[in-house]
Amino acid sequence: MNVKIENLTKVFPGMDRKSAGVTAVDDFTLDIPDGKLVCLLGPSGCGKSTLLYMICGLESPTSGKIFFGEDDVTDVPPEKRRVGLVFQNYALYPHLTVKQIIKFPLENVKGDARLSKEEMDKRALEVAKLVQIENLMDRKPGQMSGGQQQRVAIARALVKMPNVLLMDEPLSNLDARLRLQTREEIRRIQRETGITTIFVTHDQEEAMSISDMIIVMKDGLLNQIGKPQEVYDDPDNLFVACFLGTPKVNVFKGFVKGGGLFIGDDKQSERILDVKGVDDREVWIGIRPEGFKVDKDGKLTCDLSGVDVMGRDISVVCRNSNAEEVIRAIISAENEVDRDAKTVKFNVKPHKTYIFDKETEERIRFT
Ligand code: ADP
Ligand code: MG
């Protein structure tokens, strides 16, 4: 089922009359397509959970609307929205068995929609198989690993066949290895069920690897929506460029003059790239680590401070005299970089080089 959000805003009131409120989600409009896995990505406190809880009905919006398919669900209570919810801490009832925990949402259904005992058992076993815990049905939460407990929580969220599956940082409590494994599992389960899934995370790598679409948020504001690779390759602003990618994009103060791009504010600095169509101005320059090409006639000269061969790639740490920041470049190991050289020269790849307005930090596109 597709989820549509129109001008959704949530303002939490201040503690008392004097303190201002917090705008946790600020005028969000977006369309989440049916059957996709979408990540809400942003730093802690940017409003991800608040947005998720409005979608499931646990928080009511200050203004704006939420649609599931054609239905306006803005005022529909959570239990009637048919959403499955998975939290960071699994919150499983410690005294129940896995089977009882998974069946619990079905047991709570009253009236005509209530399933027979046999049907409940059958349904519980189906979802247990889906998340691969069917051999743990008689265990209690205390007798399982964190990864297994999170699978139980996912099974519980799926047992009522929700329209939408909502997950709030579901992997944060798992150790690194389990986190990787469980995220692959979530991807598989989502593909197999085709349930529209909204996955909240602050971890850009997790979001990049798992999602069909990412929604990057900052301070309650929607910054960019797109396929992970598109957002990485074509960020709309400096924040998005910096938030996605490890090692981070290299950021420099710089300026455009006469259709050329220069690092620093020294008018003697090297013209590193042609940027047609951009007026003379001060800018932020972002260059992805993979955006440097070693070239003996390169336009960017740097003092070499470290060369690290990492198998397929070489990591080069260096410094340009016009920039305060250290440059971290990743180049293919097919290149030869002389470790003992004092300097290294680069050219920069235009499609890996971004420029941003100095004040608004919005992207300035060039040809
Ligand atoms: P995230 O999940 O991205 O870390 P949240 O949605 O939890 O962010 O919070 C967004 C902002 O709203 C934060 O500034 C947070 O302090 C504030 N906030 C969240 N819940 C409440 C609440 N119940 N009352 C007041 N402020 C809240
Ligand atoms: Mg949160």
Side-chain angles (χ1 to χ4, degrees), residues 161-179:
M161 299 183 188
N163 290 325
V164 186
L165 179 62
L166 304 171
M167 309 181 116
D168 193 357
E169 313 234 12
L171 308 178
S172 300
N173 281 359
L174 306 180
D175 66 44
R177 195 180 55 83
L178 262 180
R179 201 151 61 218

Side-chain angles (χ1 to χ4, degrees), residues 1-4 31-35 67-70 163-164 196:
M1 175 159 294
N2 73 310
V3 176
K4 210 160 82 191
D31 202 344
I32 296 172
D34 182 33
F67 297 86
F68 285 2
E70 296 301 306
N163 290 325
V164 186
T196 307

Side-chain angles (χ1 to χ4, degrees), residues 49-208:
S49 296
T50 305
L51 178 56
L52 199 76
Y53 298 159
M54 287 195 283
I55 295 171
C56 78
L58 292 176
E59 288 283 1
S60 54
T62 308
S63 59
K65 289 199 175 302
I66 302 164
F67 297 86
F68 285 2
E70 296 301 306
D71 299 332
D72 182 346
V73 298
T74 316
D75 299 317
V76 175
E79 64 276 10
K80 298 231 164 84
R81 291 193 191 189
R82 297 198 52 195
V83 291
L85 193 57
V86 178
F87 294 100
Q88 172 176 345
N89 40 17
Y90 339 109
L92 304 175
Y93 316 105
H95 56 286
L96 299 185
T97 64
V98 168
K99 186 171 172 184
Q100 289 169 324
I101 292 168
I102 298 176
K103 274 167 58 178
F104 197 82
L106 301 175
E107 305 268 11
N108 268 348
V109 176
K110 305 278 182 280
D112 291 346
R114 191 180 169 86
L115 300 174
S116 70
K117 195 180 166 307
E118 292 71 37
E119 284 168 320
M120 285 186 202
D121 285 345
K122 186 164 165 268
R123 186 78 70 77
L125 186 61
E126 276 169 15
V127 288
K129 279 187 178 156
L130 180 70
V131 303
Q132 297 175 343
I133 48 164
E134 70 271 24
N135 54 347
L136 304 175
M137 293 299 255
D138 299 319
R139 295 234 192 135
K140 291 186 175 168
Q143 303 167 318
M144 290 184 294
S145 72
Q148 290 168 333
Q149 292 188 47
Q150 195 55 300
R151 284 168 194 244
V152 176
I154 295 168
R156 180 179 59 183
L158 289 173
V159 75
K160 285 174 81 180
M161 299 183 188
N163 290 325
V164 186
L165 179 62
L166 304 171
M167 309 181 116
D168 193 357
E169 313 234 12
L171 308 178
S172 300
N173 281 359
L174 306 180
D175 66 44
R177 195 180 55 83
L178 262 180
R179 201 151 61 218
L180 279 179
Q181 194 186 355
T182 313
R183 99 181 174 204
E184 295 307 319
E185 279 292 284
I186 290 175
R187 184 73 246 201
R188 178 186 63 76
I189 293 162
Q190 196 276 329
R191 286 240 168 89
E192 279 179 27
T193 58
I195 295 177
T196 307
T197 301
I198 307 176
F199 184 107
V200 164
T201 180
H202 62 271
D203 180 336
Q204 58 92 21
E205 200 215 315
E206 194 167 287
M208 293 283 284

